């Protein structure tokens, strides 16, 4: 009995149409990356677990796909490894014994590993992009997959804010080309650090950011409540509250924040880190203006609005400077792109003090936005241009050299593989969206001509077989 | 203590240069596939083990990378599963219990699974290509990797030999574009079946093909010896021997073989299968001639010689018609491309009687051939076109809008991220093979001009900043 074929939960097949649409996204993104001087690298899907474990928190460790050692994976494992007290198995220890490798969980940690491993072959600042699948043993659900693509662009070995500027320009250019209006939210981790310092809880920066990150979803009161639950005092919350309701232009926000960080808060505390974060942010918005990107103004000079959002935190603890997040204005799907600066990413692999900044485009969500807004171009080269209908052996012999010439000119040509009824061949062209069909019989063969019909307009022209330029013109 | 980073044995990182070179191969191959009407699909890296197991023989099952079930993989496993007699563990059964998924081993079985699973969405004949990595737990060695790319092109749902013709044309075109001279060897599984029938050992077709497949390596006498060892009689070997020493043109070989299959052998046996195989082969070589590909003549009308090789078997048991193998003429590395027709590939997944034919390009070996013969083009877009040197804040402000305009015109531009000594910026351009540098100071800013230097010729021109056409012309 034959098996009913299926694929694992959370994975997908991509049809020819979907692959063409996905390639359109990848090609648009990588084309923009290239104009900014970034070049592609690839790393293996399989990494040593020692490279991956501990880099994504306890939750991340659980979501790693582990690969059973090849050969006899269980041969070196004694019965004592299978149980702890009470005949239960120590699954975590056991899986470490029988699995040394895992599937890539993101592109950032493998990139850090790459930089350290190849540091002597790399010219810094090193600008690379990487478009590859990653795997996570997450619970599959709508819009969340176990195998999905990330498109990462990072520069490492330069602290200049020109890099942050260019990343925002890349975002603007990509979504402008894709026809998606977006808002780029910018914050700075040092400002968040500053907040924790001026409210007197410098060790609570994570608690504070986790709480304020939710303000769009739960509102001001709930955020204040959560901060209290997380151990902040009433006075501390009172210091932070004005930040959460800050209004005005970016310049006005920065000015108000600067006063606050400079000892102007309710507790009179000052934060050097916060002031540095504000300097960086002001400088970045200045560069954006000079390069022709609006700050806080949708649609001017690009597809994007850029705004300062002091509640933007993103979960990742390794950001040390700018933090970015991009949302589509007209389609509710969460963040479609995000990133930030990290000062010590390669430190975990033994190369300290190399600062980098990067962003990651979520190709799958961008796909959903383009589908939802019906923004995919109509001409994604899903089908061939011309079908040679074939009525018999003589006609086949006649068209084969012509098919060859047209293909060598880059035209996508199909020769119907066996003599069949014309209706069947027309149906084939129709189903595969082939716009031109060439039907030739003894008359065309005798006169050395080629008959081509445009299936959408109905126009039909007969060319001398040698008139390749004329044929190419009609097909284009 | 930081870990020393490494990657698993048999996997590779690809630098920017290597990635550009590999993309050149993939783009050349996929571009040719497209002109023949093939379109791309993708399948997940992770397949259910039930899809993969048993499809590649016992040896293949051992070489599958298995993925540990997520969550607590060992929780449902009792102590009784861990041992057979004598306190040894039943590794095979245990790995099946804790691993339900595995990594793709080739692109053919996932393709068969795809066709069956999506049969109602597909138009037949279905022409698809697929360029994705596969994984095998092979012993790593020079030129053999555990993660490597395959480039497969297959058409399914058509028995016409026009498909075989087009696959040979694809091979010819790909290697012609890559500048590699190759020989395409063609055989037909039905001729091999015929051989086993006319020598009186119809059940020994595998033994016979395994033996004669080695003739290039071990010579005639060793092949005869092996056939005897594999249970053939002296008389049977005497029937096969003339096939192994067959000479002449393709037409002459086919004529001699036809006489042999028609009862003209030493035992007087006749093989219908063998005669059908010869008919197909004759027809295919006829089509190749008509389409402008030489049979057995190197270099005429293409990069390829095409020859009938009756000792060509290839290990794969699922071929039922034509068998192809491609070798580089000027670089000894084994087969760089191969394939054939299979009449029942999808039968294992419940869809019988769908005939297909396809070939697979080995991208890694093709890479080695191009490297070995020094055939990679010199202009593989490894670096940016223009570097804006930056001397200070004013110069940065001046060049940012220009960088933006040039990037939007598709030029790959870098802005040196921080004001530095000119020597350092020149070194950067040099290391990254950036051919043009633009250095602007207060003079250029005052006069609204842009100074660009061609670093290889030394030519230096000053353009008005508005003269984008002139700038683009100089950079191109």
């Amino acid at each position: 009995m034959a098996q009913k074929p299926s694929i694992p939960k959370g994975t997908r097949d991509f049809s020819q149409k979907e692959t063409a649409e996905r390639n359109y996204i990848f090609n648009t993104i990588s084309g923009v990356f290239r104009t900014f001087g970034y070049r592609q690298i690839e790393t293996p899907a399989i990494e040593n677990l020692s490279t991956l474990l501990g880099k994504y928190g306890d939750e991340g460790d659980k979501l790693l796909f582990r690969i059973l050692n090849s050969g006899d994976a269980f041969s070196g494992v004694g019965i004592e490894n299978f149980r702890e007290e009470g005949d239960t198995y120590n699954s975590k220890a056991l899986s470490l014994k029988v699995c040394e490798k895992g599937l890539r969980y993101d592109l950032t940690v493998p990139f850090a590993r790459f930089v350290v491993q190849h540091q002597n072959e790399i010219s810094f600042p090193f600008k690379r992009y990487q478009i590859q699948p990653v795997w996570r043993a997450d619970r599959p659900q709508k819009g969340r997959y176990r195998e999905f693509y990330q498109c990462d662009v990072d520069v490492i070995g330069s602290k200049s804010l020109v890099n942050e500027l260019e990343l925002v320009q890349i975002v603007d250019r990509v979504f402008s080309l894709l026809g998606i209006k977006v808002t780029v939210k910018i914050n700075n981790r040092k400002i968040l650090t500053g907040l924790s310092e001026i409210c007197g809880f410098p060790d609570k920066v994570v608690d504070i950011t986790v709480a304020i990150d939710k303000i769009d979803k739960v509102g001001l009161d709930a955020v204040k409540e959560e901060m209290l639950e997380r151990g902040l005092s009433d006075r501390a919350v009172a210091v932070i509250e004005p930040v959460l309701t800050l209004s005005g232009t970016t310049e006005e926000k920065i000015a108000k924040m600067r006063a606050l960080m400079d000892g102007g808060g309710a507790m009179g505390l000052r934060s050097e880190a916060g002031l540095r974060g504000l300097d960086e942010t002001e400088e970045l918005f200045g560069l954006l203006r000079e390069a022709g990107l609006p700050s806080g103004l949708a649609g001017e000079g690009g597809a994007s609005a850029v705004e300062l959002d002091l509640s933007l935190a993103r979960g990742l603890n390794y950001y040390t400077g700018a933090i970015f997040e991009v949302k589509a204005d007209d389609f509710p799907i969460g963040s479609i792109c995000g990133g930030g600066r990290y000062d010590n990413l390669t430190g975990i692999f033994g190369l300290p003090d190399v600062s980098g900044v990067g962003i990651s485009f979520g190709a799958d969500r961008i796909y959903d936005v383009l589908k939802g807004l019906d923004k995919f171009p109509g001409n994604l080269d899903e089908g061939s241009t011309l079908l040679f209908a074939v009525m018999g052996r003589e006609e086949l012999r006649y068209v084969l050299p012509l098919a060859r010439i047209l293909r060598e000119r880059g035209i996508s040509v199909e020769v119907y593989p066996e003599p069949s009824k014309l209706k069947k061949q027309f149906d084939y062209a129709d189903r595969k969206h082939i716009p031109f069909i060439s039907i030739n019989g003894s008359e065309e063969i005798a006169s050395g001509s080629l008959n081509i019909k445009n299936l959408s307009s109905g126009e039909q022209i007969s060319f001398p077989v040698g008139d390749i330029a004329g044929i190419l013109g009609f097909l284009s």
Side-chain angles (χ1 to χ4, degrees), chain A:
Chain A
M1 179 57 208
Q3 325 159 252
K4 187 178 178 304
S6 66
I7 51 176
K9 271 186 308 183
T11 69
R12 292 162 292 168
D13 284 327
F14 297 110
S15 70
Q16 295 182 327
K17 184 176 197 314
E18 289 161 339
T19 304
E21 289 165 341
R22 288 165 56 85
N23 284 343
Y24 163 70
I25 296 173
F26 296 138
N27 291 340
T28 301
I29 291 174
S30 60
V32 173
F33 289 169
R34 302 182 75 79
T35 64
F36 283 80
Y38 289 85
R39 288 296 179 272
Q40 191 177 11
I41 66 162
E42 294 202 339
T43 63
I46 302 178
E47 292 272 356
N48 290 321
L49 275 176
S50 57
T51 298
L52 303 176
L53 284 168
K55 308 306 187 299
Y56 309 103
D58 287 348
E59 195 53 32
D61 284 355
K62 283 187 199 145
L63 299 183
L64 288 172
F65 277 115
R66 292 151 196 253
I67 297 168
L68 198 67
N69 295 342
S70 47
D72 188 352
F74 295 95
S75 71
V77 183
I79 198 82
E80 67 281 6
N81 293 105
F82 291 110
R83 45 183 163 174
E84 294 179 311
E85 295 130 39
D87 264 347
T88 61
Y89 309 111
N90 185 347
S91 201
K92 196 172 166 184
L94 188 52
S95 71
L96 278 177
K97 267 202 177 285
V98 298
C99 299
E100 286 166 4
K101 296 179 285 292
L103 291 177
R104 185 169 53 209
Y105 180 88
D106 72 358
L107 302 178
T108 307
V109 168
F111 173 54
R113 196 260 314 137
F114 179 98
V115 168
V116 177
Q117 196 172 329
H118 302 282
Q119 54 187 286
N120 298 324
E121 305 141 39
I122 289 173
S123 296
F124 294 96
F126 182 53
K127 301 170 83 168
R128 87 84 175 80
Y129 73 90
Q130 199 168 344
I131 299 181
Q132 291 191 279
V134 301
W135 292 266
R136 295 183 186 177
D138 243 328
R139 187 183 302 274
Q141 51 180 269
K142 187 171 157 38
R144 184 181 294 173
Y145 305 102
R146 293 184 146 191
E147 173 174 329
F148 58 98
Y149 269 72
Q150 292 190 332
C151 312
D152 277 25
V153 60
D154 293 80
V155 53
I156 197 158
S158 164
K159 294 184 175 177
S160 165
L161 290 166
V162 170
N163 301 301
E164 275 85 342
L165 161 71
E166 292 193 345
L167 291 175
V168 178
Q169 288 186 294
I170 284 173
V171 168
D172 178 59
R173 183 71 183 150
V174 164
F175 290 111
S176 166
L177 288 172
L178 293 176
I180 302 176
K181 282 190 66 172
V182 297
T183 299
V184 185
K185 295 183 175 195
I186 300 181
N187 197 6
N188 192 301
R189 168 61 188 252
K190 296 191 181 79
I191 299 177
L192 297 172
T193 302
L195 273 188
S196 70
E197 290 178 1
I198 61 169
C199 76
F201 286 87
D203 56 335
K204 293 270 187 203
V205 59
V206 171
D207 290 285
I208 294 169
T209 56
V210 166
I212 67 177
D213 197 27
K214 297 179 186 161
I215 191 159
D216 285 347
K217 283 186 198 144
V218 301
L220 179 62
D221 288 343
V223 169
K224 286 163 65 179
E225 190 63 37
E226 177 164 348
M227 286 194 285
L228 292 171
E229 281 165 17
R230 286 174 175 271
L232 266 69
S233 65
D234 285 322
R235 283 186 69 203
V237 172
V239 171
I240 293 172
E241 178 166 356
V243 178
L244 300 176
T245 56
L246 206 62
S247 64
T249 64
T250 301
E251 290 71 22
E252 288 163 357
K253 285 182 184 174
I254 290 176
K256 288 177 194 169
M257 287 298 294
R258 197 182 293 284
L260 205 62
M261 293 289 171
D262 203 18
M267 296 170 75
L269 294 169
R270 192 167 182 279
S271 167
E272 285 297 337
L275 289 168
R276 273 206 311 280
L278 289 165
D279 288 345
E280 289 177 12
T281 305
E282 189 168 32
E283 166 78 2
L284 174 56
F285 276 89
L287 287 168
L288 284 165
R289 255 192 316 277
E290 287 163 23
L293 260 187
S295 55
L297 294 169
E300 273 181 30
S304 318
V306 182
E307 64 182 40
L308 177 62
D309 180 349
L310 296 168
S311 70
L312 174 66
R314 292 183 67 84
L316 293 164
N317 281 324
Y318 53 69
Y319 293 134
T320 52
I323 304 173
F324 304 108
E325 186 166 88
V326 183
K327 289 189 174 178
D329 290 353
D330 304 321
F331 198 80
I333 198 172
S335 150
I336 53 178
C337 179
R341 178 169 288 276
Y342 38 85
D343 275 344
N344 199 19
L345 187 70
T346 57
I348 44 173
F349 297 116
L351 184 68
D353 302 325
V354 183
S355 188
V357 57
I359 50 173
S360 179
F361 288 78
D364 294 279
R365 284 191 172 174
I366 293 170
Y367 182 93
D368 290 344
V369 174
L370 287 169
K371 268 282 162 208
L373 298 176
D374 197 16
K375 291 278 192 183
F376 277 114
N379 57 349
L380 284 181
D381 188 25
E382 292 160 30
S384 305
T385 302
L386 173 66
L387 174 68
F388 278 111
V390 171
M391 317 300 298
R393 193 69 184 75
E394 274 311 300
E395 289 86 348
L396 178 61
R397 186 197 309 268
Y398 185 64
V399 302
L400 281 179
L402 286 162
R404 177 174 176 168
I405 289 168
L406 293 175
R407 284 164 174 159
E408 288 181 3
R409 299 300 191 91
I411 307 293
S412 181
V413 171
E414 293 192 52
V415 177
Y416 199 83
E418 40 235 320
S420 309
K421 285 187 182 156
L422 260 186
K423 165 141 185 16
K424 195 171 171 190
Q425 304 192 46
F426 269 100
D427 282 352
Y428 180 81
D430 188 47
R431 279 199 316 276
K432 295 191 69 178
H433 310 290
I434 301 176
F436 293 91
I437 191 165
S438 178
I439 305 168
N440 303 284
S442 51
E443 206 174 302
E444 281 79 11
I445 296 177
S447 65
S449 61
L450 197 70
N451 180 44
I452 305 181
K453 182 171 185 171
N454 179 327
L455 287 171
S456 60
S457 73
E459 190 184 5
Q460 189 162 328
I461 303 191
S462 184
F463 297 90
V465 288
D467 182 14
I468 302 300
I471 294 169
L472 291 174
F474 187 55
L475 296 176
S476 70

